[in-house]
Amino acid sequence: MIKHFSLLSFMLLALGLHIQAQPQATVLVNDAQAHQTISRYIYGMFSEHLGRDIYDGIWVGKNSSIPNKDGIRLDVVEALRRIHVPVMRWPGGCFADEYHWKDGVGDPAQRPKTINTNWGGVTETNAFGTHEFMEFCRLVGCDPYIAGNVGSGTVQEMSEWVEYLNSNQESSITEWRKRNGQDSAWKVPFWGVGNESWGCGGNMTPEYYADLYRRYASFCKNYPGAPLKKIASGPNGHDLHWMEVLLQDIPHWMMWGISLHYYTVPTGNWSHKGSATDFGEDQYFSTLKRGLYMDQILNDQEALMNRYDPQKRLALVVDEWGVWTDVEPGTNPAFLYQQNSLRDALLAASTLNIFNQHCDRVRMANLAQTVNVLQSVILTHGPQMVLTPTYWVFDLYKVHQDARLVPLQLQTPDYVFGDDSLPAINASASIDSTGAMHISLVNIDPHQAITVKLEFPGSASWKFSGGQLLTSAHVNDCNTFEHPDLIHPTSFSGVRQSGNVWTVQMPAKSVVVLTLKK
C-alpha cells in the first residue's frame, strides 16, 4: 500500500513538473475598445546617399542591363510595392545636411560632381536627384519625406526647394521645374528641418537649433493644396533635455512632429558593434535587450511631450531605427553594408509591436535603411536581389497599416539568460477596414516554445481565418544570394479554439501573425 502510494505520488509530481515546464503566456484581447488608428506611416523606410543604398540599390542608370524604369531598378520597386511602403525619407541622414538640391536637377550630364564627406569620401555624381526620387516614390506608391539642409544650407535654399516641389504658381523656380520635365507640383507633405542637429547635422545645442528651426520653418511656405507637415530634428534616443528645449522654445503650431533616432548596437560599443551573423547567445540577448529599450524611451519621451502637449497634436517621428552591426568582412567600412538574420527580424517585429502600442503619439517611423545599408529589407548584388528576414516582417505586418489598435493585456514568462531576463512574448493587434482582426505575436526565447492563450472577454464570435509563421533553425540564419529563400513566411495552423479562448503554440524564436474574422 505504501509502495503504491509512493509511486502515485511520484507520477503526480512528475506530471506537475511537466506542466510547469511548459511556459505559458496569456493575452486578453479587448476588441471592443479598438478606437485608435495605427498610422500606416509607422511602416516607412529611409534611403540615404550612403554606400549602395541609392546607387546599385535603387538607381542603376538608364543604360543598365538590369530591368529599370528611367534608371530605377524595377525588382526593388516591385518588392517595396508588395509590402505597401507608405513613405520614403531622403536624401539623409547625415548626407542631408551637406546636400544642395540644385546640384541634382537638370541635365544629368551637366550636374556637378561633389564629395560625400560623411560616407567614405566617395564621389557623388548627383545622377539621382529630386526628379529621380519623386519618380521612385511614384513607382513605389509611397509619399516622399524630404530631409532639408540646415547644417550647411541656407534658408533661401530650403525655401526654394519647397517652392520647386510644391508650387503651381508662376515663378522662375517653377518655370525651371517645368523645363526639367515636371509641369505640375508634386505637393510633398513631409519636410524635415535638418537632421541630427545635435550631431552630424551641425553639433548644435538644442537652444541654438530651436532658434534656427523657427527661422527655417518660417520660410517653408504652404502653397495652395500643399500644406506642409514640418518635422523638427529631435533627440538622440533618451535625451530628454533636447526634447524639452524644443517643446519649450518652438511654438507647437510651427511643427507637425519631432523626430527621434535610436539604433540598436548589439555590444553597446560603437567601436566594435558585433557581427551581423557570427554571434553567440550573449550578443543575441544583448541585442534584444537594447532593442526592446525602445519601449522605455518612448514612454519617457511621450510623458515629457504630454506635459507640454496634452492634446497630443504633435507626432513623435522615429525616422531612424534599426540594428547597427559591424560591416561584412571585406566591404568598405564607410558603406555600412551588413547582413540581416532571424535575430534582426525578431527585433523588427518586436519594435513594430511597440510602435503599434504607442500609435497615439508615434505617427511615423522609418527603418534604416532600405537597400544594402544597416538593417535593410533588400540586398542587391548586380542583377541579383535578396529579401531579408526583416523584409518578411514588414510583409506580415502590413495588415496593421491604418487599422484600429486593439488594446491587449499581456502576461508572459521570461526569457532568462544568466542573471538577466526579458519578456519572452510581445504582441500587438488591430482590426482593419474589412473588420478582420490581425494579431502579431513574437517569441524571442531561442530555446522554448511557449503556449499563448488568447482570451476574448467581450466576444466569442471570432473565427480563425489563417496564420503565418516566420522562423528558422538558428537565430543567426540569413538569406544569401546562394540561398535566398532560407527564411520566409510559411503557413501556421498551431491554433486551437475553445469558446472565447484560443490556444496558440508559439515555436521558439518565431513571429506569428493570425487573422481572425467574424
Side-chain angles (χ1 to χ4, degrees):
M1 185 70 178
I2 295 176
K3 285 185 178 181
H4 179 71
F5 179 79
S6 298
L7 179 59
L8 177 62
S9 299
F10 176 78
M11 292 174 65
L12 290 172
L13 176 63
L15 179 60
L17 289 173
H18 175 72
I19 293 172
Q20 291 179 0
Q22 302 298 314
Q24 181 172 300
T26 301
V27 182
L28 265 63
V29 183
N30 299 302
D31 53 306
Q33 300 176 29
H35 305 306
Q36 296 174 347
T37 298
I38 300 170
S39 171
R40 67 183 182 275
Y41 295 119
I42 284 174
Y43 292 84
M45 296 286 157
F46 165 41
S47 286
E48 182 172 6
H49 289 242
L50 194 175
R52 296 191 301 111
D53 190 335
I54 300 297
Y55 301 109
D56 291 346
I58 292 171
W59 177 261
V60 292
K62 298 178 181 180
N63 297 322
S64 174
S65 60
I66 299 171
N68 68 86
K69 171 69 167 62
D70 295 328
I72 298 167
R73 61 181 298 164
L74 291 176
D75 53 354
V76 168
V77 166
E78 289 305 312
L80 296 177
R81 286 183 64 86
R82 174 189 171 118
I83 59 175
H84 300 173
V85 171
V87 63
M88 185 70 64
R89 180 171 178 257
W90 172 86
C94 294
F95 181 80
D97 280 295
E98 68 174 25
Y99 181 66
H100 300 283
W101 70 271
K102 293 181 181 179
D103 292 343
V105 298
D107 182 358
Q110 301 299 318
R111 296 179 190 178
K113 292 181 172 62
T114 56
I115 304 298
N116 188 334
T117 62
N118 280 288
W119 304 116
V122 297
T123 298
E124 168 60 57
T125 66
N126 285 301
F128 189 91
T130 296
H131 287 253
E132 290 77 18
F133 173 65
M134 295 305 299
E135 176 64 7
F136 173 62
C137 290
R138 187 190 69 80
L139 292 171
V140 171
C142 66
D143 285 341
Y145 169 12
I146 300 289
N149 183 347
V150 169
S152 69
T154 66
V155 172
Q156 179 180 351
E157 182 178 20
M158 190 181 297
S159 175
E160 290 180 342
W161 202 4
V162 174
E163 180 183 348
Y164 189 90
L165 283 160
N166 286 8
S167 175
N168 278 318
Q169 296 164 280
E170 185 178 347
S171 72
S172 297
I173 291 291
T174 58
E175 289 301 317
W176 187 27
R177 183 193 68 221
K178 292 175 183 178
R179 291 197 300 273
N180 290 333
Q182 180 67 25
D183 286 339
S184 60
W186 287 285
K187 300 183 179 180
V188 175
F190 299 108
W191 287 80
V193 182
N195 166 79
E196 293 190 2
S197 299
W198 40 262
C200 65
N203 290 299
M204 303 174 194
T205 64
E207 293 81 5
Y208 179 74
Y209 170 73
D211 284 344
L212 271 186
Y213 177 92
R214 292 162 65 114
R215 181 173 174 232
Y216 273 74
S218 295
F219 291 93
C220 292
K221 304 295 186 177
N222 292 324
Y223 291 95
L228 300 186
K229 295 181 177 179
K230 302 169 193 174
I231 299 167
S233 177
N236 180 14
H238 205 250
D239 186 345
L240 295 171
H241 174 64
W242 186 282
M243 175 67 82
E244 186 159 27
V245 170
L246 267 55
L247 291 168
Q248 289 175 333
D249 291 2
I250 301 174
H252 294 179
W253 58 265
M254 295 188 75
M255 301 181 286
W256 177 79
I258 300 175
S259 71
L260 182 150
H261 292 180
Y262 179 68
Y263 286 97
T264 299
V265 176
T267 65
N269 182 346
W270 284 90
S271 298
H272 302 284
K273 295 179 281 292
S275 169
T277 54
D278 185 13
F279 55 84
E281 190 172 357
D282 56 342
Q283 280 193 28
Y284 171 80
F285 184 91
S286 65
T287 303
L288 270 296
K289 182 176 181 178
R290 290 186 171 89
L292 292 174
Y293 186 60
M294 177 72 82
D295 190 44
Q296 185 63 54
I297 291 174
L298 296 181
N299 282 331
D300 293 344
Q301 295 287 6
E302 288 175 19
L304 183 58
M305 295 180 77
N306 291 343
R307 282 171 46 198
Y308 292 90
D309 175 36
Q311 298 85 8
K312 299 189 178 183
R313 295 170 181 168
L314 291 174
L316 187 56
V317 179
V318 189
D319 57 18
E320 290 188 29
W321 68 274
V323 178
W324 192 327
T325 71
D326 292 330
V327 302
E328 291 304 297
T331 66
N332 188 327
F335 283 9
L336 307 187
Y337 176 79
Q338 64 189 52
Q339 250 294 357
N340 191 296
S341 69
L342 178 65
R343 174 193 67 178
D344 304 323
L346 294 171
L347 184 53
S350 300
T351 303
L352 291 172
N353 281 341
I354 291 170
F355 290 160
N356 288 348
Q357 299 287 8
H358 287 266
C359 67
D360 60 335
R361 183 66 83 171
V362 177
R363 294 172 207 150
M364 183 190 288
N366 305 90
L367 177 71
Q369 293 189 10
T370 310
V371 191
N372 294 327
V373 173
L374 299 178
Q375 192 178 350
S376 56
V377 294
I378 298 170
L379 303 177
T380 65
H381 178 70
Q384 293 178 284
M385 182 185 74
V386 166
L387 305 177
T388 70
T390 297
Y391 174 91
W392 291 116
V393 168
F394 276 80
D395 187 47
L396 293 176
Y397 275 52
K398 66 189 178 188
V399 294
H400 292 305
Q401 293 187 23
D402 285 340
R404 290 179 290 124
L405 177 72
V406 175
L408 304 176
Q409 293 173 268
L410 172 64
Q411 291 182 324
T412 173
D414 286 337
Y415 160 40
V416 178
F417 179 75
D419 297 328
D420 208 349
S421 64
L422 294 168
I425 299 291
N426 63 77
S428 67
S430 67
I431 297 175
D432 68 17
S433 60
T434 71
M437 183 189 301
H438 302 282
I439 302 175
S440 50
L441 300 162
V442 182
N443 178 7
I444 66 169
D445 192 314
H447 306 298
Q448 297 197 83
I450 295 178
T451 300
V452 179
K453 287 193 174 296
L454 302 174
E455 299 181 4
F456 296 79
S459 173
S461 61
W462 292 102
K463 300 298 181 184
F464 179 63
S465 181
Q468 290 185 287
L469 168 70
L470 189 71
T471 189
S472 192
H474 309 97
V475 291
N476 58 352
D477 283 349
C478 59
N479 292 334
T480 66
F481 294 104
E482 295 75 25
H483 303 285
D485 298 318
L486 178 64
I487 302 175
H488 63 275
T490 57
S491 179
F492 178 75
S493 58
V495 180
R496 299 292 179 268
Q497 182 182 7
S498 177
N500 63 348
V501 177
W502 300 61
T503 302
V504 183
Q505 299 296 335
M506 283 284 295
K509 56 187 183 308
S510 70
V511 180
V512 167
V513 176
L514 306 176
T515 300
L516 284 63
K517 295 183 178 180
K518 287 193 172 183

